[in-house]
Amino acid sequence: MRRLLSILMLAFALLAMTSSDNYTHIYIIGDSTAAEKKNPETNPERGWGMVFQGCLDDQVLVHNYAVNGRSSKSFIAEGRWQDIMDKLQPGDYVFIQFGHNDEKKDQVDRYTTAGGTFDKNLERFCKDAQAKGAIPVLFSPVVRRNFLDKKKLNKAVKLAGEDDDEKLRNNAYKDDEEKVNSDTLIDTHKDYRFSAGNVAKKMGVAYVDACTITKNIENKLGVKGSRKLHMWFKPGEVSSIPQGRKDNTHYSVYGAHVVANALADEIGAQVPALKRHIRHYDYVVSKKGRGNYMDLQKAVDEAPENVETKILVLGGFWPKPNIPKTKNIKFTLYFGAVIR
């Protein structure tokens, strides 16, 4: 009987989630830095948009349409924007973040010009969303982790990220060394980092300066500490990446969680209607990889002793974890999550 009741509760929650009358809906469009990632059980890469649901209360639903390798141009050309337009309802939000792939001069299917076609595409996203009664929010691109100032070098050296960001997944670890000549992060986006802000000012829409926010995070952690934000893994550290990886663009589980929470605070500041929905949890547990843990017991095991730890559980059925008396765990269950 208890199992039947739990199933009915979950079914009710899923049914409610399909109703646009009861929820605030956020659609995210962008590139790999925000995107969904396949096989989260074995793949430690995350986009900040993939984990953003864990920064909100249960009155908001996140629909993440960001995709690896897309620019503002290719996102439109592939029909992805039209797919979202067909779904948008009045009062929905559209978070718009491109730039990384718009910069690729050698790739005609993705390349746009800062101050030109890139800005025009951002304007189109805003105008189209507004025409449907939706609310656009523009984001500058998040930074690449780069502590190499090319201007200080005597000869040309390719910066991490100047090649196709998607190819960085092939960078094996090899050793602990990297080319560094600055103790503060060096920008790689150039004029592309200003486009979203310029368009937001022109159109009177909300703007989140993700470039500055993430630059500050990287600088605070420093040259070595900031590696943890990204896909930096030594050989054997992650079974699915036996050769290890050095990737300064894409986020690790930890990095996505840190960035998503930082962006959530700024979203609350720039979009007052969303501020009341912003939440912060120490650990977010999701079987779909939308948190920083996929196992509830592991989250409990790693919680510190004698300190209140807030754990959000996003959906699913979970065995009751073993909680030592020395731990003070506060659970929040969203979207039909059941612990029994």
Side-chain angles (χ1 to χ4, degrees), residues 39-46 173 228 230-246 251-254 298:
N39 306 314
E41 304 87 356
T42 56
N43 178 14
E45 184 181 324
R46 299 288 188 272
Y173 189 89
K228 188 178 179 181
H230 297 276
M231 293 292 289
W232 268 68
F233 296 106
K234 296 179 180 180
E237 191 173 351
V238 176
S239 59
S240 61
I241 313 175
Q243 301 303 313
R245 185 174 299 170
K246 285 184 179 181
Y251 292 122
S252 63
V253 173
Y254 170 80
K298 184 175 180 180

Side-chain angles (χ1 to χ4, degrees), residues 76-88:
I76 294 171
E78 293 174 0
R80 297 179 185 276
W81 177 235
Q82 185 58 51
D83 184 35
I84 294 171
M85 284 291 292
D86 292 341
K87 296 178 174 67
L88 280 182

Side-chain angles (χ1 to χ4, degrees), residues 44-312:
E45 184 181 324
R46 299 288 188 272
W48 69 261
M50 184 174 178
V51 303
F52 189 65
Q53 185 72 69
C55 304
L56 302 163
D57 65 20
D58 60 351
Q59 300 304 302
V60 181
L61 291 181
V62 175
H63 310 276
N64 187 16
Y65 282 79
V67 182
N68 290 0
R70 270 54 182 189
S71 69
S72 64
K73 181 179 181 179
S74 63
F75 197 88
I76 294 171
E78 293 174 0
R80 297 179 185 276
W81 177 235
Q82 185 58 51
D83 184 35
I84 294 171
M85 284 291 292
D86 292 341
K87 296 178 174 67
L88 280 182
Q89 299 293 322
D92 291 348
Y93 289 85
V94 184
F95 290 179
I96 304 158
Q97 184 182 67
F98 290 97
H100 280 256
N101 300 302
D102 287 81
E103 303 167 5
K104 312 300 183 184
K105 290 184 178 180
D106 60 340
Q107 299 180 26
V108 66
D109 60 326
R110 300 197 287 182
Y111 179 62
T112 63
T113 56
T117 49
F118 183 41
D119 297 45
K120 292 296 182 183
N121 288 341
L122 296 180
E123 288 184 29
R124 174 179 172 176
F125 291 136
C126 292
K127 290 177 180 178
D128 286 354
Q130 289 173 331
K132 295 295 292 285
I135 304 160
V137 181
L138 286 168
F139 292 65
S140 57
V142 296
V143 296
R144 297 183 180 94
R145 180 185 169 277
N146 171 53
F147 290 90
L148 180 67
D149 188 346
K150 193 173 180 180
K151 294 179 181 178
K152 295 181 180 179
L153 301 175
N154 294 323
K155 59 182 180 179
V157 174
K158 185 176 287 296
L159 295 177
E162 279 192 340
D163 197 359
D164 190 340
D165 290 296
E166 301 305 304
K167 294 180 182 178
L168 294 175
R169 297 188 180 90
N170 299 322
N171 286 356
Y173 189 89
K174 294 182 180 178
D175 57 54
D176 198 45
E177 296 301 318
E178 63 176 319
K179 292 185 176 67
V180 170
N181 62 11
S182 173
D183 58 1
T184 58
L185 188 134
I186 304 299
D187 172 67
T188 65
H189 291 308
K190 301 178 182 178
D191 288 344
Y192 290 87
R193 73 185 188 274
F194 302 120
S195 288
N198 291 338
V199 172
K201 184 176 181 179
K202 176 181 178 180
M203 300 194 65
V205 304
Y207 169 61
V208 173
D209 189 358
C211 189
T212 296
I213 291 168
T214 51
K215 180 179 180 180
N216 290 340
I217 293 171
E218 304 269 357
N219 280 331
K220 183 177 181 180
L221 291 172
V223 174
K224 291 189 176 181
S226 59
R227 294 174 181 175
K228 188 178 179 181
L229 297 169
H230 297 276
M231 293 292 289
W232 268 68
F233 296 106
K234 296 179 180 180
E237 191 173 351
V238 176
S239 59
S240 61
I241 313 175
Q243 301 303 313
R245 185 174 299 170
K246 285 184 179 181
D247 178 342
N248 291 318
T249 294
H250 303 108
Y251 292 122
S252 63
V253 173
Y254 170 80
H257 183 72
V258 169
V259 170
N261 277 278
L263 293 179
D265 284 336
E266 184 63 13
I267 290 164
Q270 300 301 325
V271 188
L274 290 177
K275 185 174 183 178
R276 64 189 178 92
H277 296 294
I278 303 298
R279 300 287 186 274
H280 292 297
Y281 296 91
D282 300 299
Y283 303 146
V284 180
V285 182
S286 165
K287 293 180 179 178
K288 296 182 179 180
R290 303 195 187 285
N292 50 352
Y293 287 86
M294 297 184 70
D295 182 272
L296 182 57
Q297 184 62 62
K298 184 175 180 180
V300 170
D301 291 345
E302 297 191 7
E305 295 185 346
N306 302 313
V307 176
E308 181 178 287
T309 303
K310 298 177 182 178
I311 297 181
L312 171 64

